Each structure stands twice: as C-alpha cells, then as structure tokens.
Amino acid sequence: MNTQAELRTPLLDGVYGPYDIRALQAERLPGLAEEIREFLVDAASRESGTSSDLGPSLGVVELTIALHRVFNSPRDPLLFDRADQSHVHELLTGHRDATRPRAQTALSCADGIARALRLRGGADRHVVAVIDDEALTTGVTWEALNSIAATGDLPVVIVVNDRGGLSLTERGGLAERFLDLGENVLRRTPVVGRPLFGALHGVKRSLGEPAAPQGLFAHLGLTYTGPVDGHSVPDLEAALRRARDSGGPAIVHCVTHARTRTAEVTGADAGQEESWTSVFGEEMVKAGADRPEAVGVTAGTPRPAGLDPFAEVYPERVHDAGGAGQHAVTSAAGLAAGGLHPVVAVGASFLHRALGQVLDDVAGHRRGVTFVVDGADRAEGADGETRTEGAGPGPDGMSDLALPRLVPGLRIAVPRDGARLRAQLRRAIEIDDGPTAIHLPRGPVGPDIEAVAHDRGTDVLHRTADGPRDVLVVSVGAMAHVSLVAAGLLEARGVGVTVVDPGWVEPLDPRIAELALEHRLVVTVEEGGRAGGVGSGLAETLNDASARVRVLRLASGTAGSGLTGPGMAETVLSGLPT
C-alpha cells in the first residue's frame, strides 16, 4: 500500500482491508494512527496544490479505526456525509471511488439502506452514518432523524463528528445546543436549557446507564452516548459497541479536532496560483465599501466560497446558514425584499439542491440576489458529498450551467479571467430587478485576456484580418485560452476564425446569433456537458430563426471532446462543411 519509498509505514503496509485492522493488537493501534497521519501529510505535501480537507482527515483517524474494529465492514455499510471524513476509510479499504450524492444526506441514505436490508432479510446488519456538526444545521438531517426514530428498531448507528466546525456568524439553534454539550455549556442555554441538557447528558437508560430526565432524543426513541474523546480508540470502541448492541437507532457523539501538523502542508499555500474565489473575495471587500447594501450569504463554507475577507471587514454583513443551503437561498430572498443586495457564495452542488428556492422564492419574486457559484466543488468534492463505500464515481459538474439556465429571468455570467470576474460582480450587484449568477470556472485564474474589439455587448478576442469568415468560436469563461490556441492553428491552415466571449451567457447577446449567420460553422466551447449548456441555447436560437448554420458543441465534461488547442483545431477541421 505504501507508495512513498522514503516513508516507512510498516503497520499501514500490512493493512489490506477491515479484517487486518480488527486483527491488530490494541497496543499497536496508536502506531497505526500515527503512520496514517504521516502518510496523509506526506502525500499532500507532494501534490502541487494543498488539499483543504487534510486537517479534518487527520482528525478522524482514530474514529475510522474504531469503526472498522467494531463493525463488520463492508457487510455493515459505512456512510460518510462529507468527502473530507472518508479519506482514511478509503486508504484503509482501497475504495478510492465512492458515490457522492450530496452533502448532509447520509442519514436519509442510511434510513433507506437499513429498510432495504430489513426487507431483504438482513436485519442483523447495521448501517453506520458518520455526519459532522454542520449537518445538524440542515432540515434534511432532522427529517431523517425523525424517520429513523419513527420505526424504532432500525439498526442505524449515527456518529456525530463534532469538529467545532460551525463558524463565522451563526451556528444554528438546536445544533449549537447539541454541540455545546461537549463544551459543558448546554446547561446555561436560555432557549431549551436544562430539560435538553438532562435529555442529552450521559448515556440513556436503554444503554443500561443511570436514567436521565426525558428529553428530545428520549422522546424520539434514539439512544445517546457521549461526548466521547474522538482520539481515543478504546473509548470510541466502547461507545460504538454499546450503540451497536442497543437494539435500535443510536447516536454516538465524539469530539475530534484537526491536528496542528496540517501547518506543515498548508504553509505552502503562499506559492499556489490565484484562485477564482480569492479574486471574488478581494473584489467583494471593495464592492462592500462602495455599496453598503451589499451583504454576504453562505451555507457553511465562508472560507472555500471566498467570503472570509468580506467577513473580516464587515462581520455584521455576513449571514452563514451552516449547511442549510435551501434556507440560505430563501433567507437571501428576504434580505433582498428588505432592501439589501445579498451575494450568495456557494458551491454548485449547494445551488442544485436549492433550485426550488431559486425558482420560487428568488426568481418568482424578481429579487435582486446574486449567486457566486463555485463550479470546482462539484468536480473535486470540496464541499464534501455523501460517500457510500464500494460504489462508483459521482457527478462531475456537467449540469452546472444547464440547470440554472432553466430559471426564468436568471442572468448568468461566466468570467474568462480575473478582470472580467471583478466587472461582472460589480454589474451583478447593480441589478435589483431580478437574480444574477456568476459561475466560477474550475482550476486557477489565468492571465487577463483583453478583447481586440467590442461588438455591442460581446467581446471579440480574435478575428482573422482580411480573410474568409469560416468559423465562429463562442468561448465561454476560462475556455478562452484553449479557443485562442485553436484559432491560431486553424488560421495557419487557411481557415478564417472569429473568437468571441459573450461574458453574460444567459440571456445570450442577440449579436451572437447575427455573427453566426456570417460564418460557415459555429463552435461553442464550455466547461461541463453539452446538454443544456450555452451551445444548446445558441443552437435553439438559430433553429428558431431557421438559420442553416451548423453548431458544433464542445464541452470539457464530454469524454473524448479533445479540449486542448490542437485537439480542438482538429475537431473543427473535421466539422467544417465542404
């Protein structure tokens, strides 16, 4: 298993699956945990970009070891609500690929798996769901808890990994009360106070411990134990065994923290390339100074979403809804109704799950809300999606533009460089008669690409001088560099090329359709998938106009599309009408 020749991990090298972990003597487990951390830190330090989820991965090492020693994985399914909690599990089991439905949905998935196992004769098997503190801010988590508890005897073990990760301005009412148990603050809570403290304090009567006053989890029929030291394998094993043997659904509350050794890796961040979210964060601070009505909204990811700089300068103008993306969107609609202009910074996957709120609460009332959508979270799992062991690969962002295009009245921009992002953000904040969205591309920000001309609202990036108008390339966002490389190669072979960047891709500038009619072939180049994207919209427009122009749609999410400069040039040459 060890691929780093200079790093010695003899215990880890002997682990090929859960059975090897269960076979290890207890006194060797601290050594295994240390080797896992050494491996993760060493692997991250060798990557060109530092993973933002390394710290949480280091924090769940002992928890993951204990889970595999108590439960019979994979016979007992393990679900991880966030990608950054599953890396150690993947390392120990070899399951590098996993399903990624959505973050904060592990309990709903566990409820369904447990019911399926019961119907198929597997009632003796347990389903384990590992969620973090942020999940306790979402409605779907509590809906799933209610469903699990309503049945009463589903063998579901819920592990709450309390990382103290709820940050910024809000932690959420009931979630905060639950988590503060680990900090001995719950008894001073003014809202639910001592009744809830009594309900949660200690191990419930069904586990054989002294009875505590009735409270929330007792009424739900869920047994509770904790808080447990999340870095003590013996304590974790004892708590997990009691939960496993409780005869019904149980909650284990463990307290972990990210080990400080992450600084050895994250200290290298200064040398990394500029990110789209960092450009957004810098410009958001400047916009906040000029426009006092601008406020920030996020759903538990202020730092990855780029709102941290704004929050440092204007802490009272940031609303963090925790993991509750749907609530964040409707709350933003309310902020707009109250005379402010909210800028909602979220990952693409968060916006997808809140599409109903975008449609009804924002667009339906023509609220001036701006969404800054990080497309990289869908491709890389940055916001941490649900992972179920032993399953196949998950979504890759191919619907990031297709779904928002369905929202009536939503104006969508995709920046090609940092300068365009800054300008589009300023323009979006000025719009107060409907919603806007800025879709951030994947990867680092490249150098600014200035237009050689402006044709109405469209930037012309390249135009063959005194030559034929053979190909119109409609470049979307960061695909501009690839498009310009391809244009140069095509021009060298006698093909006349015009490259344009509409900037705002929904609604598409009517001038694009007019330019298309002046060329023999139209090529659209965008991230994501072909279906429903910008190319689809342009093809529909030309079809409605009965234009006899072929549209060749290229997208980075389509396998074999050849989205390099030379590959794109060859594809275009083969598609030119004879």
Side-chain angles (χ1 to χ4, degrees):
M1 178 176 292
N2 179 21
T3 59
Q4 315 295 340
E6 63 272 36
L7 181 67
R8 298 191 62 223
T9 54
L11 292 174
L12 182 58
D13 291 344
V15 174
Y16 296 93
Y19 45 87
D20 294 314
I21 304 172
R22 291 191 286 269
L24 274 178
Q25 296 176 335
E27 58 268 21
R28 307 189 74 181
L29 297 178
L32 174 62
E34 182 61 24
E35 288 186 12
I36 292 171
R37 288 193 174 91
E38 293 279 357
F39 182 92
L40 293 173
V41 170
D42 185 72
S45 68
R46 293 172 180 271
E47 296 177 358
S48 57
T50 300
S51 173
S52 64
D53 58 8
L54 178 63
S57 296
L58 300 180
V60 297
V61 171
E62 286 85 2
L63 172 60
T64 307
I65 291 173
L67 285 169
H68 283 295
R69 285 175 64 83
V70 172
F71 295 96
N72 186 17
S73 170
R75 189 174 188 275
D76 294 330
L78 304 182
L79 288 79
F80 294 86
D81 205 35
R82 295 185 60 91
D84 57 16
Q85 295 187 134
S86 67
H87 295 328
V88 178
H89 163 76
E90 294 171 359
L91 176 64
L92 295 176
T93 62
H95 289 111
R96 303 289 176 172
D97 296 320
T99 342
R100 303 179 182 180
R102 293 188 299 181
Q104 287 92 44
T105 59
L107 290 192
S108 296
C109 192
D111 178 62
I113 291 176
R115 295 176 189 278
L117 291 177
R118 169 177 291 179
L119 289 173
R120 299 182 64 186
D124 59 328
R125 299 163 63 181
H126 291 79
V127 180
V128 183
V130 181
I131 66 175
D132 72 348
D133 37 25
E134 189 177 282
L136 295 172
T137 67
T138 64
V140 68
T141 294
W142 293 97
E143 291 171 3
L145 276 172
N146 181 66
S147 177
I148 291 169
T151 304
D153 58 351
L154 281 179
V156 176
V157 175
I158 303 162
V159 180
V160 178
N161 176 22
D162 180 356
R163 304 183 300 173
L166 295 177
S167 59
L168 210 58
T169 57
E170 299 212 7
R171 293 180 68 185
L174 190 53
E176 181 173 5
R177 309 304 179 245
F178 177 76
L179 295 172
D180 280 347
L181 175 62
E183 304 166 7
N184 297 314
V185 178
L186 185 60
R187 67 182 78 227
R188 299 191 296 274
T189 301
V191 179
V192 288
R194 299 193 66 87
L196 184 55
F197 172 80
L200 299 182
H201 184 61
V203 182
K204 300 307 296 175
R205 66 190 188 284
S206 59
L207 295 180
E209 298 294 329
Q214 296 302 308
L216 175 63
F217 288 103
H219 286 305
L220 283 175
L222 301 171
T223 57
Y224 170 93
T225 183
V228 180
D229 181 358
H231 300 291
S232 170
V233 175
D235 290 352
L236 287 165
E237 285 191 36
L240 290 170
R241 286 195 177 94
R242 286 195 295 267
R244 180 194 64 188
D245 300 336
S246 65
I251 292 179
V252 175
H253 175 197
C254 70
V255 180
T256 66
H257 56 85
R259 294 302 174 97
T260 56
R261 295 188 54 211
T262 55
E264 299 174 13
V265 178
T266 57
D269 286 350
Q272 291 185 12
E273 297 174 293
E274 191 173 32
S275 69
W276 292 98
T277 51
S278 66
V279 175
F280 157 66
E282 293 171 2
E283 191 62 27
M284 186 65 185
V285 173
K286 298 176 183 177
D290 297 336
R291 304 191 69 94
E293 75 276 14
V295 296
V297 178
T298 187
T301 56
R303 184 175 64 83
L307 272 181
D308 259 6
F310 186 82
E312 291 174 4
V313 180
Y314 306 106
E316 73 285 355
R317 290 165 62 181
V318 175
H319 170 45
D320 184 359
Q326 293 169 313
H327 162 67
V329 171
T330 301
S331 179
L335 287 167
L340 300 176
H341 190 105
V343 178
V344 183
V346 292
S349 56
F350 275 89
L351 192 62
H352 289 178
R353 80 192 62 172
L355 190 60
Q357 284 71 29
V358 175
L359 280 164
D360 297 333
D361 303 328
V362 179
H365 295 277
R366 301 175 63 88
R367 301 300 186 196
V369 176
T370 294
F371 298 95
V372 178
V373 186
D374 183 5
D377 89 305
R378 173 66 74 175
E380 301 167 6
D383 78 323
E385 305 88 347
T386 301
R387 291 183 174 219
T388 308
E389 62 168 313
D396 65 354
M398 294 179 65
S399 59
D400 289 350
L401 281 178
L403 287 178
R405 284 189 64 242
L406 299 175
V407 178
L410 177 63
R411 285 167 266 199
I412 304 173
V414 185
R416 67 175 178 267
D417 53 34
R420 257 40 65 177
L421 170 55
R422 295 182 179 94
Q424 290 167 357
L425 178 62
R426 292 296 187 122
R427 174 64 184 128
I429 295 177
E430 293 173 354
I431 297 173
D432 59 6
D433 62 349
T436 55
I438 301 174
H439 180 87
L440 303 183
R442 305 174 191 172
V445 179
D448 288 348
I449 300 174
E450 298 300 332
V452 298
H454 300 283
D455 197 330
R456 299 183 191 174
T458 296
D459 286 349
V460 180
L461 306 184
H462 175 88
R463 178 178 285 155
T464 301
D466 302 324
R469 294 197 173 188
D470 296 315
V471 179
L472 173 67
V473 177
V474 180
S475 173
V476 177
M479 305 310 296
H481 175 71
V482 171
S483 299
L484 290 173
V485 171
L489 295 172
L490 289 167
E491 198 169 79
R493 299 178 68 168
V495 178
V497 184
T498 304
V499 180
V500 299
D501 173 16
W504 290 85
V505 299
E506 185 65 34
L508 201 60
D509 184 358
R511 179 57 179 154
I512 299 291
E514 296 175 6
L515 288 170
L517 297 177
E518 301 172 7
H519 293 76
R520 298 165 56 205
L521 175 67
V522 178
V523 180
T524 59
V525 192
E526 59 190 297
E527 287 185 345
R530 296 173 69 242
V534 177
S536 295
L538 180 56
E540 293 163 5
T541 299
L542 293 174
N543 182 67
D544 291 343
S546 301
R548 302 183 63 181
V549 179
R550 182 183 178 192
V551 178
L552 179 62
R553 293 172 290 157
L554 302 182
S556 62
T558 304
S561 59
L563 285 189
T564 63
M568 176 181 164
E570 292 299 323
T571 303
V572 171
L573 283 172
S574 65
L576 267 175
T578 56

